[in-house]
Amino acid sequence: MKKLYINTGGFDAVFNNLKDSFGGDLVISANEYKLTFKSRWANGSISGVRFEKEMTYLNFDLTFNEDVNLSIESNPFTPVFFAYCEKGTVLHSFGANGTIKSLKKQQSGIMSNSSSINSVLYFESHKHIQFSLIGIPTSVSDTEVDFISDVKKIFTNESGNYIYIGDENQKIEEKFQELTTIPQQGTVRYLLMKSILREILELEIAQHSYNYLSTFDPILNFASKQLNEIKKLSALNTSTITAPLQFIKRSLQTRTLKTYNQKLAS
């Protein structure tokens, strides 16, 4: 068994750690990272996007050539991780001697760790694994306070360790399918990815909260906020990007009103 240790920190540090562990070629384009490797340890890729300090997204699509034990140092930003398994099985424990939980195909998991105990992931050799992680820091003060507050309140506890595993929400599965089919590049791609990932997190909050109606409110105005963000981040002609964002807004309004009516009927 190969034992690896990942020191958490900035996105660059995490990917450089992974590169040092598995070898391969690391390509960085704006805020997107992709590590592709074919070595004695593993074949496949790890890709990711960082959205300033608000959110990170990682996708693992690989096959290990021997059993791997990956110990991840506790993170100073105390993030909550939302995991979605598309293929294979991921095993997790808090510490090397902790209880092992399994995340299987078409299951989702939520994990937070504010203790000094490392999180440990276990991967079996010669089995194709594909899963995604969305990370939300809970100790960053200059992000959207209400959103971070909801995540922290629902998905953390006083013990310092929290884990939930259940069947994947069908709507969330559909959002991930949308994520893989985004054709745009550059700033538009970045903002559309951010919008879809944000929708996924809103769905998670709604699913794990009794207050279904209010948790959907932030979605309505999100597309409009993206246009303002584009203006700040890019000197592109905004007429070329207004159409997809307006489409997102109309689509979200329709879905939210439908959800509202369904909840009232129930």
Side-chain angles (χ1 to χ4, degrees):
M1 174 181 286
K2 183 176 177 63
K3 295 185 178 182
L4 302 173
Y5 297 88
I6 298 295
N7 296 317
T8 55
F11 220 53
D12 290 310
V14 170
F15 268 89
N16 284 322
N17 268 331
L18 292 168
K19 181 180 179 181
D20 291 341
S21 298
F22 300 120
D25 298 317
L26 177 60
V27 176
I28 303 174
S29 176
N31 292 304
E32 292 197 50
Y33 293 64
K34 186 166 186 178
L35 176 62
T36 305
F37 43 85
K38 186 176 182 179
S39 67
R40 59 177 295 192
W41 304 118
N43 298 320
S45 65
I46 302 173
S47 57
V49 185
R50 60 177 178 182
F51 300 92
E52 296 131 4
K53 295 181 180 180
E54 178 188 346
M55 177 169 53
T56 56
Y57 169 69
L58 291 167
N59 179 265
F60 296 77
D61 186 358
L62 67 166
T63 302
F64 291 102
N65 296 326
E66 64 176 270
D67 292 345
V68 171
N69 179 326
L70 181 62
S71 182
I72 306 172
E73 182 185 54
S74 57
N75 193 303
F77 295 111
T78 58
V80 173
F81 288 104
F82 298 82
Y84 306 91
C85 187
E86 301 164 59
K87 188 176 293 186
T89 302
V90 182
L91 302 178
H92 170 273
S93 70
F94 291 110
N97 299 317
T99 302
I100 295 177
K101 302 282 188 178
S102 63
L103 179 68
K104 300 178 181 179
K105 182 180 179 181
Q106 294 184 326
Q107 284 190 319
S108 63
I110 305 170
M111 186 271 289
S112 62
N113 178 18
S114 60
S115 70
S116 59
I117 300 174
N118 285 8
S119 287
V120 184
L121 299 178
Y122 307 87
F123 303 97
E124 294 183 87
S125 66
H126 300 97
K127 292 188 177 180
H128 185 194
I129 179 71
Q130 188 172 358
F131 68 100
S132 297
L133 285 177
I134 304 174
I136 302 294
T138 59
S139 62
V140 179
S141 59
D142 59 348
T143 56
E144 297 177 66
V145 176
D146 292 340
F147 181 69
I148 299 299
S149 176
D150 286 340
V151 170
K152 187 174 182 178
K153 179 174 63 177
I154 299 171
F155 304 115
T156 62
N157 59 35
E158 294 180 358
S159 71
N161 298 328
Y162 172 95
I163 188 165
Y164 162 87
I165 294 176
D167 293 335
E168 185 171 322
N169 184 305
Q170 183 179 352
K171 291 183 179 180
I172 291 176
E173 184 179 352
E174 292 171 357
K175 288 290 131 191
F176 273 108
Q177 291 174 359
E178 286 184 31
L179 194 66
T180 61
T181 58
I182 296 176
Q184 288 83 359
Q185 298 296 321
T187 302
V188 175
R189 172 180 170 81
Y190 173 85
L191 292 175
L192 288 175
M193 290 184 71
K194 184 177 180 180
S195 176
I196 291 172
L197 292 170
R198 176 64 184 267
E199 285 184 73
I200 290 172
L201 296 175
E202 294 285 358
L203 287 168
E204 288 286 12
I205 291 174
Q207 180 174 316
H208 292 270
S209 171
Y210 291 108
N211 192 1
Y212 286 91
L213 296 180
S214 64
T215 53
F216 279 91
D217 288 342
I219 301 177
L220 285 173
N221 297 322
F222 190 68
S224 295
K225 293 179 181 179
Q226 293 305 306
L227 183 58
N228 292 330
E229 189 167 350
I230 289 176
K231 292 177 180 179
K232 295 177 182 178
L233 294 176
S234 173
L236 293 173
N237 183 350
T238 57
S239 64
T240 64
I241 54 182
T242 301
L245 292 174
Q246 290 301 320
F247 173 79
I248 291 172
K249 183 176 180 181
R250 289 195 300 272
S251 177
L252 291 177
Q253 287 175 329
T254 301
R255 284 201 297 274
T256 303
L257 289 173
K258 183 178 180 182
T259 302
Y260 179 86
N261 290 331
Q262 288 174 342
K263 295 301 175 183
L264 289 179
S266 63

Coordinates of all heavy atoms in Angstrom, one line a residue, residues 1-6 18 21-22 41 64-73 90-98 100 118-125:
M1 N 0.8 -1.2 0.0 CA 0.0 0.0 0.0 C 0.9 1.3 0.0 O 1.8 1.3 0.7 CB -0.9 0.0 1.2 CG -1.7 1.3 1.4 SD -2.8 1.4 2.8 CE -4.1 0.3 2.3
K2 N 0.5 2.2 -0.9 CA 1.2 3.5 -0.9 C 0.5 4.5 0.0 O -0.7 4.7 -0.1 CB 1.2 4.0 -2.3 CG 2.0 5.3 -2.5 CD 2.1 5.7 -4.0 CE 2.8 7.1 -4.2 NZ 4.2 7.0 -3.8
K3 N 1.3 5.1 0.9 CA 0.7 6.0 1.9 C 1.2 7.4 1.5 O 2.4 7.7 1.3 CB 1.2 5.7 3.3 CG 0.6 4.4 3.8 CD 1.0 4.2 5.3 CE 0.3 2.9 5.8 NZ 0.6 2.6 7.2
L4 N 0.2 8.3 1.3 CA 0.5 9.7 0.9 C 0.0 10.7 1.9 O -1.0 10.4 2.6 CB -0.1 10.0 -0.5 CG 0.3 9.0 -1.6 CD1 -0.5 9.3 -2.9 CD2 1.8 9.2 -2.0
Y5 N 0.6 11.9 1.9 CA 0.2 12.9 2.8 C 0.0 14.2 2.0 O 0.9 14.6 1.3 CB 1.2 13.1 4.0 CG 1.3 11.9 4.9 CD1 2.2 10.9 4.6 CD2 0.5 11.7 6.0 CE1 2.3 9.8 5.4 CE2 0.6 10.6 6.8 CZ 1.5 9.6 6.5 OH 1.6 8.5 7.3
I6 N -1.1 14.9 2.2 CA -1.4 16.1 1.5 C -1.4 17.2 2.6 O -2.3 17.2 3.5 CB -2.7 16.1 0.7 CG1 -2.6 15.0 -0.4 CG2 -3.0 17.4 0.1 CD1 -1.6 15.3 -1.5
L18 N 0.0 16.9 -5.2 CA -0.5 15.8 -6.0 C 0.5 15.4 -7.1 O 0.7 14.2 -7.4 CB -1.9 16.1 -6.5 CG -3.0 16.2 -5.5 CD1 -4.3 16.8 -6.1 CD2 -3.3 14.8 -4.9
S21 N 3.4 13.6 -5.7 CA 3.0 12.2 -5.3 C 2.8 11.3 -6.5 O 3.2 10.1 -6.4 CB 1.7 12.2 -4.5 OG 1.9 13.0 -3.3
F22 N 2.2 11.8 -7.6 CA 1.8 10.9 -8.7 C 2.6 11.2 -10.0 O 2.5 10.4 -10.9 CB 0.3 11.0 -9.0 CG -0.5 10.7 -7.8 CD1 -1.4 11.6 -7.3 CD2 -0.5 9.4 -7.3 CE1 -2.3 11.2 -6.2 CE2 -1.3 9.0 -6.2 CZ -2.2 10.0 -5.7
W41 N 2.2 4.6 -10.4 CA 1.2 4.7 -9.3 C -0.2 4.8 -9.7 O -1.1 4.2 -9.1 CB 1.5 5.9 -8.4 CG 2.9 6.0 -7.9 CD1 3.8 7.0 -8.1 CD2 3.5 5.1 -7.0 NE1 5.0 6.7 -7.4 CE2 4.8 5.5 -6.7 CE3 3.1 3.9 -6.4 CZ2 5.7 4.8 -5.9 CZ3 4.0 3.2 -5.5 CH2 5.2 3.7 -5.3
F64 N -5.8 3.7 -9.7 CA -4.6 3.5 -9.0 C -4.0 2.1 -9.3 O -4.8 1.1 -9.4 CB -4.8 3.6 -7.5 CG -5.0 5.1 -7.0 CD1 -6.3 5.5 -6.7 CD2 -4.0 6.0 -7.0 CE1 -6.6 6.8 -6.3 CE2 -4.2 7.3 -6.6 CZ -5.5 7.7 -6.3
N65 N -2.7 2.0 -9.4 CA -2.1 0.7 -9.7 C -1.7 -0.1 -8.4 O -1.2 -1.2 -8.5 CB -0.9 0.9 -10.5 CG -1.2 1.5 -11.9 OD1 -2.3 1.2 -12.5 ND2 -0.3 2.4 -12.4
E66 N -2.0 0.4 -7.3 CA -1.9 -0.3 -6.0 C -2.8 0.4 -5.0 O -3.2 1.5 -5.2 CB -0.4 -0.4 -5.5 CG 0.2 1.0 -5.2 CD 1.6 0.8 -4.7 OE1 1.7 0.6 -3.4 OE2 2.6 0.7 -5.4
D67 N -3.0 -0.2 -3.9 CA -3.8 0.4 -2.8 C -3.2 1.7 -2.4 O -2.0 1.7 -2.2 CB -4.0 -0.6 -1.7 CG -4.9 -1.8 -2.0 OD1 -5.6 -1.7 -3.1 OD2 -4.9 -2.8 -1.3
V68 N -4.0 2.7 -2.2 CA -3.5 4.0 -1.7 C -4.2 4.5 -0.5 O -5.4 4.4 -0.4 CB -3.6 5.0 -2.9 CG1 -3.3 6.4 -2.4 CG2 -2.7 4.7 -4.0
N69 N -3.4 5.0 0.4 CA -3.9 5.6 1.7 C -3.5 7.0 1.7 O -2.3 7.4 1.7 CB -3.3 4.8 2.9 CG -3.7 5.4 4.2 OD1 -4.0 6.6 4.4 ND2 -3.8 4.5 5.2
L70 N -4.5 7.9 1.5 CA -4.2 9.4 1.3 C -4.7 10.1 2.6 O -5.9 10.3 2.9 CB -4.9 9.9 0.1 CG -4.7 11.4 -0.2 CD1 -3.3 11.7 -0.5 CD2 -5.6 11.8 -1.4
S71 N -3.7 10.6 3.4 CA -4.0 11.3 4.6 C -3.9 12.8 4.3 O -2.9 13.4 3.8 CB -3.0 11.0 5.7 OG -3.3 11.6 6.9
I72 N -5.0 13.5 4.6 CA -5.2 15.0 4.3 C -5.2 15.8 5.6 O -6.0 15.6 6.5 CB -6.5 15.3 3.5 CG1 -6.5 14.4 2.3 CG2 -6.6 16.7 3.1 CD1 -7.9 14.4 1.6
E73 N -4.2 16.7 5.7 CA -4.1 17.5 6.9 C -5.3 18.4 7.1 O -5.9 18.8 6.1 CB -2.8 18.4 6.7 CG -2.5 19.3 7.8 CD -1.3 20.3 7.5 OE1 -1.4 21.0 6.4 OE2 -0.4 20.3 8.2
V90 N -15.2 5.2 -2.7 CA -14.2 5.9 -1.9 C -14.5 5.6 -0.5 O -15.6 5.6 0.0 CB -14.4 7.4 -2.2 CG1 -13.3 8.2 -1.4 CG2 -14.3 7.8 -3.6
L91 N -13.4 5.3 0.3 CA -13.5 5.0 1.7 C -12.9 6.2 2.5 O -11.9 6.7 2.1 CB -12.8 3.7 2.1 CG -13.3 2.4 1.3 CD1 -12.4 1.2 1.7 CD2 -14.7 2.2 1.6
H92 N -13.5 6.5 3.6 CA -13.0 7.7 4.4 C -13.1 7.3 5.9 O -14.0 6.6 6.4 CB -13.9 8.9 4.1 CG -13.7 10.0 5.1 ND1 -14.3 10.1 6.3 CD2 -12.8 11.1 4.9 CE1 -13.8 11.2 6.9 NE2 -13.0 11.8 6.1
S93 N -12.1 7.9 6.6 CA -12.1 7.8 8.1 C -11.5 9.1 8.6 O -10.7 9.7 8.0 CB -11.4 6.6 8.6 OG -10.0 6.7 8.4
F94 N -11.9 9.5 9.9 CA -11.2 10.5 10.6 C -10.1 9.9 11.4 O -10.3 9.2 12.4 CB -12.2 11.3 11.5 CG -13.3 12.1 10.8 CD1 -14.6 11.7 10.8 CD2 -12.9 13.2 10.1 CE1 -15.6 12.4 10.2 CE2 -13.9 13.9 9.4 CZ -15.2 13.5 9.5
G95 N -8.9 10.1 10.9 CA -7.7 9.4 11.5 C -7.5 8.0 11.0 O -8.5 7.4 10.6
A96 N -6.3 7.5 11.2 CA -6.0 6.2 10.7 C -6.8 5.1 11.4 O -7.0 4.0 10.8 CB -4.5 5.9 10.8
N97 N -7.2 5.3 12.7 CA -7.9 4.3 13.4 C -9.4 4.6 13.6 O -10.1 4.0 14.4 CB -7.3 4.2 14.8 CG -5.8 3.8 14.8 OD1 -5.5 2.9 14.0 ND2 -5.0 4.5 15.6
G98 N -9.9 5.6 12.8 CA -11.3 5.9 12.9 C -12.2 5.0 12.2 O -11.8 4.1 11.4
I100 N -14.5 3.6 9.3 CA -14.4 3.8 7.9 C -15.8 3.8 7.3 O -16.6 2.9 7.6 CB -13.6 2.6 7.2 CG1 -12.1 2.7 7.7 CG2 -13.6 2.8 5.7 CD1 -11.2 1.6 7.2
N118 N -6.4 14.2 11.0 CA -6.4 14.2 9.6 C -7.6 13.4 9.1 O -8.1 12.5 9.7 CB -5.1 13.6 9.0 CG -4.0 14.5 9.2 OD1 -4.0 15.6 9.8 ND2 -2.8 14.1 8.6
S119 N -8.1 13.8 7.9 CA -9.0 12.9 7.1 C -8.2 12.0 6.3 O -7.2 12.4 5.6 CB -9.9 13.8 6.3 OG -10.9 14.5 7.1
V120 N -8.7 10.7 6.2 CA -8.0 9.7 5.4 C -8.9 9.1 4.4 O -10.0 8.7 4.7 CB -7.4 8.6 6.4 CG1 -6.6 7.6 5.6 CG2 -6.6 9.1 7.5
L121 N -8.4 9.1 3.1 CA -9.1 8.5 2.0 C -8.4 7.2 1.6 O -7.2 7.2 1.6 CB -9.2 9.4 0.8 CG -9.9 10.7 1.0 CD1 -9.9 11.6 -0.2 CD2 -11.4 10.5 1.5
Y122 N -9.2 6.2 1.3 CA -8.6 4.9 0.9 C -9.1 4.5 -0.5 O -10.3 4.6 -0.8 CB -9.0 3.8 1.9 CG -8.8 4.1 3.3 CD1 -9.7 4.8 4.1 CD2 -7.6 3.6 4.0 CE1 -9.5 5.0 5.4 CE2 -7.3 3.9 5.3 CZ -8.3 4.6 6.0 OH -8.0 4.9 7.4
F123 N -8.2 4.1 -1.4 CA -8.5 3.7 -2.7 C -8.0 2.3 -3.0 O -6.8 2.0 -2.7 CB -7.9 4.7 -3.7 CG -8.4 6.1 -3.5 CD1 -7.6 7.0 -2.8 CD2 -9.6 6.6 -3.9 CE1 -7.9 8.3 -2.5 CE2 -10.0 7.9 -3.7 CZ -9.2 8.8 -3.0
E124 N -8.8 1.5 -3.6 CA -8.4 0.1 -4.0 C -7.7 0.1 -5.3 O -8.0 0.9 -6.2 CB -9.6 -0.8 -4.0 CG -10.2 -1.1 -2.7 CD -11.3 -2.1 -2.8 OE1 -11.1 -3.3 -2.7 OE2 -12.5 -1.6 -3.0
S125 N -6.7 -0.7 -5.5 CA -5.9 -0.8 -6.7 C -6.8 -1.4 -7.9 O -7.7 -2.2 -7.7 CB -4.7 -1.7 -6.5 OG -5.1 -3.0 -6.3

